[in-house]
Amino acid sequence: MADVIKRACFVLFAVMVYGAAGAWLSSVVPAGAEAEPADLQIETRDAIDAFFAAVLSGEPDKVAAVLAPEFQIQRADGSHYDAKDYPDSILPIIAEVPVIQDLVVSATGDSVVATYVVNVNETLDGSVVEANAPRMTVFRKEGGTWLVVAHANFAGIER
């Protein structure tokens, strides 16, 4: 039980740090540097969909193609991977690209922080993943492509 509480506190702390970084980054955007909010929402939604589509494919090369070299993922159960290990890890099995709800985006320059809720039919290593749960994804644009820098998945896993 103590491990679960410790992991939950760690995930909460990571969310607060990423949220604070996103808030700070969005406050230092030079005038005119930010994309139009509607365009940014669409681009971010497309980037999230591309990440989920790569994972849905189950193909390590497709997953690696959407990850920045500094990528990290943290799950609610405490498991975590980097860009080198995640593509070859046990990837979740997703029935279809999930519906994104409550999308909130902050951005500066070539970085975007997105918080959202997804409703997804997903299993991980044979266990059912909580269907409706929040996520946080950080993207960096490189050569016209949004790469995933960090992803936090707050969905519980039934064991």
Side-chain angles (χ1 to χ4, degrees):
M1 181 67 171
D3 285 341
V4 170
I5 292 171
K6 222 187 273 187
R7 288 180 184 148
C9 288
F10 177 79
V11 169
L12 179 60
F13 176 73
V15 167
M16 290 176 9
V17 168
Y18 280 117
W24 176 78
L25 287 171
S26 66
S27 71
V28 295
V29 176
E34 197 169 331
E36 290 298 316
D39 292 344
L40 185 59
Q41 290 277 329
I42 292 167
E43 276 192 65
T44 303
R45 190 174 294 274
D46 289 347
I48 294 167
D49 286 347
F51 176 52
F52 276 106
V55 173
L56 186 145
S57 78
E59 297 177 33
D61 290 345
K62 287 184 179 180
V63 174
V66 299
L67 305 180
E70 66 273 25
F71 169 82
Q72 289 190 40
I73 185 173
Q74 176 81 47
R75 293 188 179 122
D77 69 354
S79 62
H80 52 87
Y81 297 94
D82 60 18
K84 181 178 71 88
D85 296 328
Y86 183 66
D88 293 317
S89 70
I90 297 173
L91 296 171
I93 297 172
I94 302 171
E96 61 187 353
V97 174
V99 174
I100 298 167
Q101 304 164 344
D102 303 326
L103 178 62
V104 177
V105 176
S106 59
T108 186
D110 290 339
S111 297
V112 170
V113 178
T115 58
Y116 51 99
V117 175
V118 294
N119 193 346
V120 61
N121 181 356
E122 177 180 5
T123 61
L124 180 64
D125 199 20
S127 297
V128 175
V129 177
E130 181 182 1
N132 198 23
R135 307 290 200 277
M136 174 184 275
T137 310
V138 180
F139 295 96
R140 179 174 49 80
K141 197 172 221 178
E142 185 174 291
T145 301
W146 288 107
L147 299 176
V148 182
V149 172
H151 182 71
N153 181 343
F154 302 101
I157 300 173
E158 296 177 9
R159 298 271 176 192

